[in-house]
Amino acid sequence: MKDRERFRKLMNFEKPDRLPIVEWAGWWDKTIDRWHGEGLPKELKEDGEIRAFFNFDTWRQCWMEPRKKSLPDNHQNYKPLVTDMDSYNAIKEHLYPEIAFDKNQIEEWAVKQRKDDMVVWVTIEGFYWVPRTLFGMEEINYMFYDDPELIHQINKDTLEYNIRVFTEFCKVCKPDFMTFAEDMSYNHGPLVSNAVFKEFMLPYYEKIIPIVKENGTIPFVDTDGNPEELLSWFLDIGIEGFLPMERQAGTDVVKYREKFPQIKMIGAFDKTLMNKGEDIMRYEFERLLPVMKQGGYVLGIDHQTPPSVSLDDYYLYLKLFKEYAEKAAK
């Protein structure tokens, strides 16, 4: 069975030949640095090359950021870039680029996708993520109350950008699934209340989700931490799936599937167990096996493989992954 055919069957809750074997999120640079010292060919640095080396199913992601390279980088400290409407208007020239992706590259992906040899997914940034990156992690909580007009203006502009770039992408290649980057939860639940979600995010999701689905693309939300309370907020408006389902934050995909039988999920394998030996890793696969068998779930690391995992640890993980990917399809 080809890679895209396998993915589509799984997302339709049908039986594939096996589950996809993927590392959906890529690797930490420190992990790859360690592996280069343990036998991974040093010329392999790009995620696609490394995935091919490990013989993963072929998936490719295009992240269409709403910012130009000229925008100051505050990713590490979230120092506020915007404090009021004037400062937002002043940096808008550095936001919402005209060209969001490499058309020639996506055309190459589309050829492989049409042959069922590649799963294509896109990421666009959501209506909590974008204001948060502009205001700062703490400051956004005040802005919901101090300047709601500004939040709405940012999200109106973000919506316009997201619809434009997603539609342009679909003219070249219709993604098999997509993620709204949000990171709207932590280990104790949502970072915002349901009332804030309904006022500041829901109106914009209601406009773009139908466009995503009209193009045959499955909408996912990417939110770290524990998303349990958020699940119904998003499922009720047409979101179908979630990732990365971080175990250390208390996520329980078995429980979520019981509560929401049609929920789709990616991730959930506890990355902190990858260097604990075969018995512990096998225990984790067994925990996830019931959901693996049900369909609608792509097993993967619950974010990125950490540098505490040796190359030998990783080879053992992949050996077990392949075993359970086949076992789940029987």
Side-chain angles (χ1 to χ4, degrees), residues 216-231:
T217 303
I218 304 170
F220 275 70
V221 164
D222 174 356
T223 183
D224 298 349
N226 188 327
E228 182 169 359
E229 189 175 340
L230 293 173
L231 299 180

Side-chain angles (χ1 to χ4, degrees), residues 48 56 70 118 131 137 152 160 164 252 268 304 317 320 330:
F56 286 125
S70 58
M118 178 182 287
M137 195 73 190
H152 281 297
E160 180 181 344
R164 173 172 63 82
D252 186 344
Q304 293 172 289
Y317 162 75
L320 296 173
K330 292 181 180 178

Side-chain angles (χ1 to χ4, degrees), residues 285-324:
F285 278 109
E286 289 289 339
R287 178 181 73 87
L288 298 168
L289 186 59
V291 185
M292 294 170 71
K293 289 182 175 181
Q294 293 167 356
Y297 167 53
V298 177
L299 183 139
I301 302 304
D302 63 354
H303 218 134
Q304 293 172 289
T305 301
S308 57
V309 176
S310 71
L311 188 58
D312 284 343
D313 290 331
Y314 197 68
Y315 277 127
L316 176 58
Y317 162 75
L318 291 182
K319 174 188 171 185
L320 296 173
F321 193 165
K322 292 172 184 176
E323 175 188 331
Y324 279 88

